[in-house]
Amino acid sequence: MAKRVLVVEDNELNLKLFCDLLRAHDFAAEPVRDGREAVARARAVAPHLVVMDIQLPHVSGLELIGQMKRDPKLRSIPIMAVTAYAGREDEERIRAAGANAYVSKPISVMRFMEEIRSLMPSDPPVDDRTLPLL
């Protein structure tokens, strides 16, 4: 079963790019265009990872990260911030808000996918001693 990635991005082209990249690498991408829907959608979808723009209309990505990290059902889900903010202070501020990773725009496709894979929880190893013998 494909791992689910919730993508929170208001820019249609970026949203399509991120979702297409994820799907091309066998992830199930769940798009969210409006940050005001992100927490409810995350609770409904139970993603393995959240990719979130920081500059969103109506609510900032930093606020959303804080909301997710305070939510008992969502706090363990890793969050990767994707933003045009590219300064060292910006990265520190975004990580301090609770983001597990930071990728600046314009993205490097290779770096984007490397960060996705590094944050994706791995499946527990199979202990073949517990599998039934056929």
Side-chain angles (χ1 to χ4, degrees), residues 1-5 22-23 25-29 46 48 120 123:
M1 185 161 75
K3 302 258 176 131
R4 292 174 307 284
V5 180
L22 290 163
R23 290 175 183 136
H25 288 88
D26 299 322
F27 293 101
H48 296 93
M120 193 58 62
D123 293 324

Side-chain angles (χ1 to χ4, degrees), residues 24-95:
H25 288 88
D26 299 322
F27 293 101
E30 296 286 338
V32 175
R33 288 167 185 79
D34 189 332
R36 295 174 294 189
E37 300 170 9
V39 173
R41 189 74 176 277
R43 290 182 64 77
V45 171
H48 296 93
L49 174 67
V50 175
V51 173
M52 184 178 308
D53 185 16
I54 296 300
Q55 293 176 281
L56 296 166
H58 312 295
V59 60
S60 85
L62 293 176
E63 291 174 41
L64 289 175
I65 291 170
Q67 288 176 25
M68 288 183 179
K69 292 302 179 178
R70 288 188 300 273
D71 186 311
K73 185 174 180 181
L74 304 176
R75 72 171 44 120
S76 65
I77 299 170
I79 298 173
M80 183 173 86
V82 182
T83 183
Y85 294 133
R88 181 77 179 139
E89 304 84 27
D90 296 317
E91 181 176 358
E92 290 171 2
R93 184 172 47 94
I94 291 166
R95 287 184 181 274

